[in-house]
């Protein structure tokens, strides 16, 4: 008897172009199974994945994300659909008892397919976003024999053609299908040549007994100010036997305690009879919880999750099926805020100021993995974001994506597959009626809702990007996604919701969803101008102070505002040939502006310049003309940091008075693009990542760049009292000409409060370039709530004086503490600026933070450390570059302290860590970085006497010895210390 449950089919696949295979599906799965060989068309396949991903994996075509290689790959518009129609083949074994059933499941394919199993044919109908489940019990070899499986996958019906000038969604033909719409290219990505054809999501077989559990729906309702909570559960049950099944249906809810212990909160059993061959819906009696642990978004509290397990046992058989889901008790509400006109979200009754980003997908070739999703979502949480918008031209994201959003507290705005440029706008004007098959769209939409609805992170459904779905689809979505009365703020006297649709007071778990709002489009109902006007954006470089001005953006919630995103130089070298390492030409145009002219490879990778002639002067040139790629990318990181920190601080400065939220366009690129990103496709963060991380702290001290007033932001539900601000100005000579503290401050919850003007620029003889360090701390014990560092110039000035500041040799001291657990390294660094600190001022230089960012992916508590804390009496040293080699010793950790001597005083500016593989000979362009790395902070600066703890976490490939480097503006050279 086979074990009940799922077995993934994610390895051992072969693939071949259909026109190169002379055999039928029946022959492939009976008498002529394929094999690789010198003259065979069959190659190792990427499943889950796409045809193009398989071709890249086997080096049949070059990497389309490298340089201009995408231009050498034939586009489906020129090759015809048959060229990207592929066979996929694998084998598996199964052993079933007489009462067991086996389903072959495809969680998604693009776009249609025929399945052959042991000579038998099954058809998978069209649609990229739908699950397929085939009962193959009578087809599989149930005695443990080998099953032969072949699938021929056809591309979308309307793959379209790419116009000479590109454009948003190519010629828009892809919009006629229920598929991703970015694949014909956009202003941030080149065309995907196969249009993502393939078995792009999980394939598995699933064994059950006579009765199968299908798509349970979990809903929690709240009463008495969240003290009483009820869990509602409805599931479908399918009896596939020829007799009445006498069943015991069980639901168990547990919560995890410390020490891998679980507490059973509820265990309920119900007995029922299911007629032969029938499909029934069953609703459990509601389960009562008193004061459960609630699920909160990132920055508002813990992400408490309960494990819900539903099992069904059949008399005379035993356990027939089992289903489990991590579930969070939380209530999400939203309404249009009267004060701002923006949509205001509440979680568990608490308003949440939305600071997040737009998301397309993880990888343009759909090389999706749980490991990469884990990194992606943790990066968003590390930036202190609380929402991700899944843009309508991309994916209905996968359960693995939502799993990590649940764990890390990222609310998700999920759009359906409509976007304006492909559905009614664009050049030429696209088809306004959306996909040709509206019924297919709705089938995919309903199935997507069932796939995702139990995730606490899922916050709202939106019909489309900058467009409303066609009337028939929009009406159907409104009806299907109507709120249950318990989740609607108000009902009209006639018992209708604001949508005009009647509501029924049945159990909420019997709704398709019933708990989340549906908004018809991203520019409607509290987003942008709320009426569909094209009022999101802008998408280019801005003056930092512009974000703080009251006339910058008119509306309460901006769903898309974008800017630059140049990666570090190592990424350019790793993703482009040497001709792509040339920096832009800086051409003077009218009005004293400079136009950047990028090289053709940067242009192909959608580089967005750091200037906007006529509006914004070049922000890289503020630091002086860059000399080479390294200099350009380093200066770009300075701008990235300032740009995105100012964007979020500007929005937060007007929290609730003008704004309810903002989503940045966009957080990352699903390919090696050069715009709008906080980390690149190789998973290296830009400095903008850390500008966001600082600005989006739950409690934050900041400088209003328009008014020069100091502000305190408190997005938490607790009032701050007896806190103080320490403001210190540091010049390029290492002195502190301005030092003030503002004490005994109080800040109400959910408020931004303007405290006092920072008057240094108005003082006598202010320095043209200076540093400002702000710290918000508790007066009782100097514990720091927020630390914020700025580099500033006087009005009308620039940062060119920083060029000579590179020659400063600032003494730093570094202590490292290394833990090794398997292939995972956790490195605790402590970096201190040993410059002489001012003796006449009481500075909070120790940086005793109130709490550290939690790190869920490494447990160092079980590892014993012999590291001593930094000793203030140790000799001072000079850091040119820290080049630490780690070796796996018996206890798995190594402790190092290093001093780098320097004789000059001053701020250690723009320090940043990176991790590399140790290599004996380094070739030009060779990428030695180990990625990804999670940093508790990076691109930081230290004033004299100040020390900062930084934690690094990363995995090391087998056989690789890592080294950590520390570089900074003050010493950008390659001086190595072993």
């Amino acid at each position: 008897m086979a074990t009940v449950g799922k077995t993934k089919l994610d390895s051992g696949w072969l693939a071949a172009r259909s026109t190169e295979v002379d055999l039928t599906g029946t022959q492939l799965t009976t008498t002529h199974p394929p094999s690789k060989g010198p003259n065979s068309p069959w190659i190792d396949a990427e499943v889950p994945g796409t045809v193009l991903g398989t071709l890249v994996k086997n080096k049949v075509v070059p990497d389309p994300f490298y340089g201009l290689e995408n231009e050498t790959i034939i586009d489906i518009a020129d090759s015809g659909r048959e060229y990207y129609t592929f066979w996929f083949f694998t084998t598996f074994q199964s052993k079933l008892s007489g009462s067991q059933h086996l389903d072959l499941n495809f969680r998604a394919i693009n776009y249609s397919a025929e399945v052959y199993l042991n000579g038998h044919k099954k058809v998978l109908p069209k649609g990229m976003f739908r699950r397929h489940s085939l009962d193959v019990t009578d087809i599989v070899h149930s005695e443990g024999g080998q099953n032969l499986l072949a699938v021929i996958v056809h591309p979308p019906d309307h793959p379209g053609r790419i116009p000479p000038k590109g454009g948003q969604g190519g010629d828009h033909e892809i919009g006629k299908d229920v598929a991703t719409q970015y694949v014909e290219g956009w202003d941030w990505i080149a065309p995907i040549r196969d249009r993502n054809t393939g078995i792009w999501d999980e394939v598995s077989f699933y064994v059950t007994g006579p009765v199968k559990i299908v798509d349970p729906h979990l809903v929690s309702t709240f009463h008495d100010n969240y003290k009483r909570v009820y869990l509602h559960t409805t599931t479908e049950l399918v009896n596939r036997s020829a007799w009445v099944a006498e069943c015991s249906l069980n639901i168990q809810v547990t919560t995890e305690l410390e020490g891998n212990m679980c507490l059973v909160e509820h265990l309920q059993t119900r007995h029922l009879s299911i007629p032969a061959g029938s499909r029934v819906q069953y609703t459990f009696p509601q389960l009562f919880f008193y004061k459960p642990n609630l699920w909160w978004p990132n920055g508002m509290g813990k992400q408490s999750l309960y494990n819900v397990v539903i099992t069904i046992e059949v008399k005379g058989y035993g356990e027939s099926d089992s289903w489990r889901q991590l579930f969070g008790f939380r209530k999400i509400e939203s309404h249009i805020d009267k004060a701002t006109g923006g949509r205001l979200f509440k979680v568990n009754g608490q308003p949440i100021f939305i600071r997040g980003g737009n998301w397309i997908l993880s990888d343009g070739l759909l090389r999706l993995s749980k490991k990469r999703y884990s990194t992606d979502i943790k990066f968003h949480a590390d930036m202190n974001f609380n929402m991700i918008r899944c843009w309508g031209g991309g994916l209905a994201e996968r359960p693995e994506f939502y799993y990590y959003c649940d764990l890390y507290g990222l609310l998700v705005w999920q759009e359906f597959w409509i976007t304006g440029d492909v559905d009614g706008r664009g050049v030429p004007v696209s088809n306004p009626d959306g996909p040709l098959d509206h019924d297919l769209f709705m089938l995919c939409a309903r199935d997507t809702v069932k796939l995702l609805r139990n995730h606490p992170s899922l916050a709202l459904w939106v019909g489309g990007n900058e467009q409303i779905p066609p009337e028939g689809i929009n009406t159907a979505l409104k009806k299907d996604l109507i709120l249950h009365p318990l989740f609607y703020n108000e009902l009209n006297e006639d018992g209708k919701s604001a949508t005009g649709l009647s509501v029924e007071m049945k159990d909420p778990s019997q709704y398709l969803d019933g708990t989340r709002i549906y908004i018809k489009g991203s520019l409607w109902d509290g987003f942008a101008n709320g009426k569909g006007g094209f009022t999101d954006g802008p998408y280019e470089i801005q003056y930092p102070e512009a974000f703080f001005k009251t006339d910058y953006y008119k509306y309460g919630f901006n769903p898309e505002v974008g800017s630059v995103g140049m990666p570090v130089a190592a990424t350019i070298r790793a993703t482009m040939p040497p001709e792509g390492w040339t920096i832009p030409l800086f051409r003077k145009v009218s009005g004293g502006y400079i136009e950047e002219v990028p090289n053709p490879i940067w242009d192909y990778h959608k580089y967005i310049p750091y200037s906007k002639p006529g509006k914004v002067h070049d922000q890289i040139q503020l630091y002086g003309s860059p000399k080479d790629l390294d200099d350009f990318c380093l200066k770009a990181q300075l701008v990235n940091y300032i740009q995105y920190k100012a964007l979020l601080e500007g929005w937060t400065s007007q929290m609730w008075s003008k704004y309810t939220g903002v989503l940045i366009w966009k957080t990352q690129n699903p390919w090696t693009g050069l715009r709008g990103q906080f980390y690149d496709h190789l998973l290296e963060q830009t400095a903008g990542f850390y500008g966001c991380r600082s600005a989006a702290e739950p409690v934050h001290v900041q400088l209003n760049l328009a008014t020069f007033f100091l502000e305190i932001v408190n997005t938490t539900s607790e009032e701050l009292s007896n806190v103080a601000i320490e403001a210190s100005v540091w010049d390029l000579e290492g002195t502190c000409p301005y030092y003030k503290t503002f004490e005994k401050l109080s800040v109400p919850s959910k408020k931004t409060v303007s405290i006092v003007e920072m008057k240094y620029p108005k003082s006598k003889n202010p320095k043209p370039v200076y540093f400002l360090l702000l710290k918000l701390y508790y007066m009782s014990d100097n514990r720091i709530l927020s630390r914020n560092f700025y580099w500033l110039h006087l009005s009308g000035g620039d940062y060119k004086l920083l060029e000579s500041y590179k020659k400063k040799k600032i003494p730093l001291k570094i202590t490292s503490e290394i833990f090794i657990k398997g292939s995972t390294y956790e490195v605790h660094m402590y970096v201190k600026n040993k410059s002489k600190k001012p003796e006449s001022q009481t500075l909070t230089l120790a940086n005793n933070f109130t709490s550290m960012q939690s790190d869920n992916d490494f447990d160092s508590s079980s590892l014993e450390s012999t590291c001593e804390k930094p000793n203030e009496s140790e000799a001072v040293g000079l850091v040119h570059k820290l080049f630490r080699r780690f070796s796996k010793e018996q206890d798995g950790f190594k402790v190092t302290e290093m001093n780098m001597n320097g004789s000059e005083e001053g701020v250690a500016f723009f320090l940043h860590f990176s991790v590399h593989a140790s290599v004996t000979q380094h070739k030009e362009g060779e990428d030695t970085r180990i990625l990804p790395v999670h940093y508790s902070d990076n691109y930081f600066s230290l004033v004299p006497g100040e020390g900062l703890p930084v934690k690094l976490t990363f995995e090391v490939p087998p056989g690789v010895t890592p080294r950590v480097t520390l570089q900074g503006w003050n010493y950008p050279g390659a001086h190595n210390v072993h």
Side-chain angles (χ1 to χ4, degrees):
M1 179 183 291
T3 303
V4 169
K6 180 170 70 175
T7 301
K8 292 183 183 179
L9 299 177
D10 56 4
S11 61
W13 286 84
L14 298 176
R17 184 171 283 114
S18 63
T19 55
E20 298 176 4
V21 177
D22 296 328
L23 301 170
T24 66
T26 300
Q27 290 171 315
L28 289 172
T29 57
T30 53
T31 57
H32 293 79
S35 62
K36 293 191 300 181
N39 299 315
S40 172
W42 294 89
I43 55 178
D44 292 326
E46 192 84 2
V47 176
T50 63
V51 168
L52 189 54
T54 287
L55 296 176
V56 171
K57 175 182 178 181
N58 289 274
K59 299 184 178 178
V60 177
V61 299
D63 181 355
F65 297 168
Y66 184 85
L68 297 177
E69 296 291 0
N70 194 48
E71 288 297 287
T72 69
I73 302 173
I74 189 168
D75 192 83
I76 193 171
D78 300 313
S79 67
R81 292 174 68 247
E82 294 79 10
Y83 187 80
Y84 287 110
T85 299
F86 264 62
W87 281 104
F88 294 88
F89 177 88
T90 194
T91 64
F92 64 93
Q93 291 184 316
S94 58
K95 190 173 183 180
L96 304 178
S97 71
S99 299
Q100 287 188 314
H101 292 257
L102 187 143
D103 294 316
L104 182 61
N105 295 326
F106 297 85
R107 206 165 66 183
I109 59 100
N110 190 27
Y111 185 61
S112 61
E114 293 94 50
V115 176
Y116 293 84
L117 180 62
N118 299 334
H120 297 266
K121 179 181 178 180
K122 300 276 188 177
V123 175
L124 300 186
K126 299 174 183 178
M128 185 174 179
F129 302 107
R130 63 187 297 181
R131 294 170 294 171
H132 305 273
S133 185
L134 306 174
D135 186 347
V136 295
T137 306
D138 297 334
I139 299 174
V140 293
H141 298 145
S142 59
E143 298 302 321
Q146 191 173 62
N147 296 289
L148 307 183
L149 172 63
V151 185
I152 185 169
V153 180
H154 304 279
D157 292 345
H158 302 87
R161 181 170 293 277
I162 314 304
K165 293 185 178 180
Q168 312 291 73
D171 64 359
H172 321 304
E173 283 292 295
I174 194 69
K176 293 179 179 178
D177 297 329
V178 184
T180 51
Q181 300 183 9
Y182 75 92
V183 289
E184 284 196 66
W186 222 266
D187 59 5
W188 45 267
I189 194 169
I192 305 296
R193 299 306 187 189
D194 70 341
R195 308 295 191 262
N196 284 157
T197 300
I199 307 172
W200 68 274
D201 200 4
E202 178 185 281
V203 185
S204 65
F205 67 83
Y206 194 91
V207 175
T208 72
V211 179
K212 178 182 178 182
I213 299 170
V214 178
D215 290 332
H217 186 200
L218 308 176
V219 174
S220 50
T221 58
F222 302 86
H223 307 271
D224 296 342
N225 197 27
Y226 299 89
K227 292 179 182 177
R228 287 192 300 122
V229 178
Y230 293 92
L231 178 64
H232 306 258
T233 309
T234 294
T235 186
E236 292 187 39
L237 303 168
V238 180
N239 181 5
R240 295 192 279 192
S241 71
W243 33 270
V244 176
E246 299 295 334
C247 303
S248 294
L249 185 62
N250 308 289
I251 183 169
Q252 177 178 287
V253 183
T254 59
T255 183
E256 190 171 321
L257 303 176
E258 294 182 5
N260 295 321
M261 299 290 288
C262 288
L263 173 66
V264 178
E265 295 273 358
H266 277 285
L267 177 60
Q268 187 183 91
T269 301
R270 287 293 180 267
H271 300 284
L272 60 156
S273 299
I274 305 177
S278 66
R279 187 185 192 103
V280 301
Q281 179 175 288
Y282 179 78
T283 300
F284 282 91
Q286 60 193 26
L287 299 177
F288 171 67
F289 295 78
Y290 184 68
K291 292 185 178 179
N293 297 320
L294 299 179
W295 184 93
W296 292 96
N298 188 35
M300 292 184 73
K302 293 182 179 180
Q303 290 75 54
S304 299
L305 293 167
Y306 290 76
N307 193 26
V308 180
V309 180
I310 299 173
T311 58
I312 189 162
E313 296 181 0
V314 177
K315 186 177 181 181
Y317 174 80
E319 183 177 299
S320 181
D321 198 4
S322 178
W323 177 91
R324 66 180 58 239
Q325 174 74 38
L326 285 176
F327 183 74
F329 289 109
R330 62 96 185 97
K331 184 177 183 180
I332 295 177
E333 304 167 274
S334 77
H335 64 273
I336 298 176
D337 178 48
K338 292 181 180 179
T340 64
R343 183 157 289 276
L344 188 152
F345 288 86
K346 289 184 176 182
V347 179
N348 303 330
Q350 294 290 327
I352 175 172
F353 189 72
I354 298 296
R355 291 175 292 187
N358 284 266
W359 166 271
I360 315 300
L361 69 162
S362 185
D363 176 73
L365 301 189
L366 301 187
R367 294 168 292 197
L368 311 178
S369 70
K370 196 168 184 179
K371 184 175 182 180
R372 183 164 183 122
Y373 275 137
S374 173
T375 299
D376 281 321
I377 305 309
K378 189 175 189 305
F379 275 176
H380 286 73
D382 286 347
M383 285 188 283
N384 290 312
F385 283 173
N386 52 33
M387 180 177 277
I388 298 177
R389 174 193 173 207
C390 293
W391 176 73
L395 295 183
E397 264 301 353
R398 302 298 88 196
E400 291 80 6
F401 171 93
Y402 277 90
Y403 169 80
Y404 287 107
C405 288
D406 293 344
L407 288 186
Y408 290 116
L410 274 298
L411 296 172
V412 183
W413 159 334
Q414 180 66 66
E415 261 165 34
F416 294 106
W417 319 284
I418 297 289
T419 178
D421 292 280
V422 181
D423 296 292
R425 276 206 327 250
V427 180
V429 176
S430 53
N431 169 30
D433 295 325
L436 297 179
D437 190 338
H438 289 194
D439 290 339
L440 173 60
F441 186 99
M442 287 307 305
L443 188 153
C444 290
R446 293 177 183 117
D447 196 59
T448 296
V449 173
K450 291 179 181 179
L451 179 68
L452 303 176
R453 63 189 177 185
N454 292 315
H455 289 279
S457 56
L458 178 57
L460 74 158
W461 304 101
V462 178
N465 167 61
E466 300 176 344
Q467 188 63 294
I468 296 173
E471 184 177 353
I473 290 177
N474 188 49
T475 299
L477 287 171
K478 285 168 61 178
K479 182 178 179 181
D480 285 354
L481 296 174
I482 190 170
L483 290 175
H484 185 278
L486 290 173
F487 293 87
Y488 201 78
N489 291 335
E490 293 181 5
L491 292 177
N492 298 327
E493 291 182 2
D494 58 1
K496 293 184 177 181
S497 70
T499 63
L501 299 171
S502 297
V503 293
E504 300 178 48
M505 205 59 173
K506 57 187 178 183
D507 189 281
S509 63
Q510 294 175 12
Y511 279 52
L512 179 63
D513 184 334
T515 68
R516 301 171 179 91
I517 59 167
Y518 166 73
I519 302 294
K520 58 188 175 183
S522 66
L523 301 177
W524 281 262
D525 299 332
F527 301 123
N529 75 348
K531 300 175 182 178
F534 194 72
T535 48
D536 44 8
Y539 301 93
E540 65 274 331
I541 193 77
Q542 303 289 315
Y543 289 124
E545 62 271 19
F547 296 111
F548 293 84
K549 294 181 179 179
T550 55
D551 61 351
Y552 175 70
Y553 185 72
K554 297 180 181 179
Y555 309 106
F557 193 120
N558 194 338
E560 295 182 16
V561 57
S563 192
V564 293
M566 189 65 189
V568 299
T571 291
I572 297 297
R573 294 192 175 95
T575 58
M576 296 180 185
E579 54 266 32
W581 303 352
T582 304
I583 65 176
L585 297 174
F586 293 91
R587 185 170 63 192
K588 291 184 179 180
V589 294
S590 61
Y593 291 95
I594 290 177
E595 179 184 35
E596 293 184 20
V597 183
N599 69 63
I601 299 179
W602 284 27
D603 195 49
Y604 190 81
H605 285 253
K606 313 294 185 177
Y607 173 75
I608 185 170
Y610 283 68
S611 65
K612 185 70 173 177
K615 291 186 177 180
V616 181
H617 286 285
D618 194 284
Q619 296 296 287
I620 286 179
Q621 288 280 338
L622 288 178
Y623 298 89
S625 296
K627 305 179 191 65
D628 52 27
L629 181 65
D630 291 289
D631 192 28
F632 181 92
C633 290
L634 179 59
K635 287 172 178 173
Q637 299 317 309
L638 291 164
V639 183
N640 290 345
Y641 191 101
I642 289 176
Q643 184 76 183
Y644 286 109
K645 186 169 78 164
L647 189 160
L648 284 183
E649 288 184 339
W651 243 269
T652 310
S653 176
Q654 301 174 80
M655 177 175 68
W656 311 130
S657 62
K658 184 180 179 184
Y659 299 129
T660 59
V662 61
L663 299 174
I664 296 173
W665 182 265
K666 50 192 175 11
T667 57
Q668 46 76 252
N669 277 298
W671 77 307
T672 49
L674 301 181
R675 59 163 46 185
Q677 60 187 353
F678 298 123
Y679 59 95
D680 60 44
H681 193 250
L682 304 183
L683 299 177
E684 173 78 276
Q685 301 101 329
T686 73
F689 183 107
Y690 296 95
C692 280
R693 180 183 175 88
S694 171
E697 293 174 305
V699 174
H700 183 61
V701 59
Q702 64 185 35
L703 175 69
N704 185 312
L705 296 178
T707 66
F708 256 62
F709 270 70
L710 303 182
E711 299 173 340
I712 300 176
V713 178
N714 179 13
T715 66
T716 74
S717 57
E718 302 295 328
E719 180 184 1
L720 296 177
S721 59
N722 199 31
V723 296
I725 295 175
E726 176 187 84
S728 57
V729 168
W730 301 82
D731 59 26
L732 300 185
E733 288 71 47
T735 64
C736 181
Y738 175 95
Y739 177 85
K740 288 188 180 297
T741 58
F742 308 96
E743 300 182 335
K744 297 181 180 179
L745 305 175
S746 296
V747 184
S749 68
K750 312 288 184 183
K751 292 289 184 183
T752 297
V753 177
S754 183
I755 302 299
V756 67
E757 185 179 4
M758 206 285 288
K759 295 184 178 180
Y760 174 74
K762 298 179 179 179
S763 63
K764 186 177 181 180
N765 299 321
K767 299 299 175 69
V769 175
Y770 60 95
F771 305 110
L772 172 65
L773 178 61
L774 301 177
K775 293 187 180 182
L776 177 68
Y777 61 97
Y778 285 114
M779 293 186 65
S780 58
D781 54 10
N782 284 357
R783 283 182 301 133
I784 294 176
L785 286 150
S786 174
R787 177 188 182 274
N788 198 354
F789 184 89
Y790 297 85
W791 53 100
L792 300 163
H793 61 72
L794 297 182
S795 179
D798 57 39
Y799 293 114
K800 290 184 173 65
L801 287 174
L802 285 176
E803 191 67 40
S804 60
Y805 196 64
K806 287 181 178 179
K807 299 175 183 178
K808 279 263 190 179
K809 299 298 182 287
I810 307 300
L812 297 184
K813 173 178 161 182
I814 305 99
T815 301
S816 64
E817 178 183 11
I818 301 100
F819 301 93
I820 306 173
K821 188 176 182 181
S823 61
T824 300
Y825 282 61
E826 181 172 291
V827 184
H828 294 201
M829 310 294 295
Y830 188 84
V831 185
K832 182 168 184 178
N833 183 344
K834 295 293 289 185
S835 298
K836 184 178 179 181
K837 61 184 178 181
E839 296 179 357
S840 61
Q841 294 156 351
T842 305
L843 296 156
T844 58
L845 295 170
N847 283 330
N848 177 25
F849 292 96
T850 57
S851 62
M852 296 295 290
Q853 182 79 14
S854 63
D855 206 349
N856 298 329
D857 53 8
F858 190 90
D859 177 18
S860 61
S861 61
S862 61
L863 299 176
E864 189 175 315
S865 170
T866 60
C867 177
E868 296 180 359
K869 296 298 180 185
N871 190 333
E872 295 294 335
S873 64
E874 290 288 338
V876 173
L878 166 70
V879 169
H880 292 296
K881 184 177 181 183
L882 178 65
F883 186 104
R884 272 301 314 139
R885 294 182 180 275
F886 300 156
S887 61
K888 277 196 174 182
E889 300 177 349
Q890 289 183 351
D891 293 329
F893 62 86
K894 189 172 183 178
V895 177
T896 306
E897 184 172 297
M898 301 194 67
N899 293 283
M900 300 301 182
N901 293 320
S903 57
E904 299 184 72
E905 309 293 329
V907 173
F909 182 51
F910 217 53
L911 301 170
H912 49 281
F913 285 107
S914 57
V915 183
H916 299 258
S918 295
V919 293
T920 54
Q921 293 182 335
H922 182 260
K923 301 176 184 177
E924 186 180 21
E926 180 184 6
D927 192 7
T928 63
R929 291 173 297 170
I930 292 173
L931 296 170
V933 182
H934 296 279
Y935 301 92
S936 64
D937 203 356
N938 218 357
Y939 293 97
F940 57 93
S941 302
L942 298 173
V943 304
E946 188 182 26
L948 189 73
V950 179
K951 183 170 69 173
L952 298 74
T953 309
F954 53 91
E955 287 192 22
V956 176
V960 171
T961 300
R963 58 184 173 92
V964 171
T965 71
L966 177 66
Q967 290 181 285
W969 185 265
N970 304 71
Y971 195 90
H975 211 87
N976 297 331
V977 180
H978 296 269

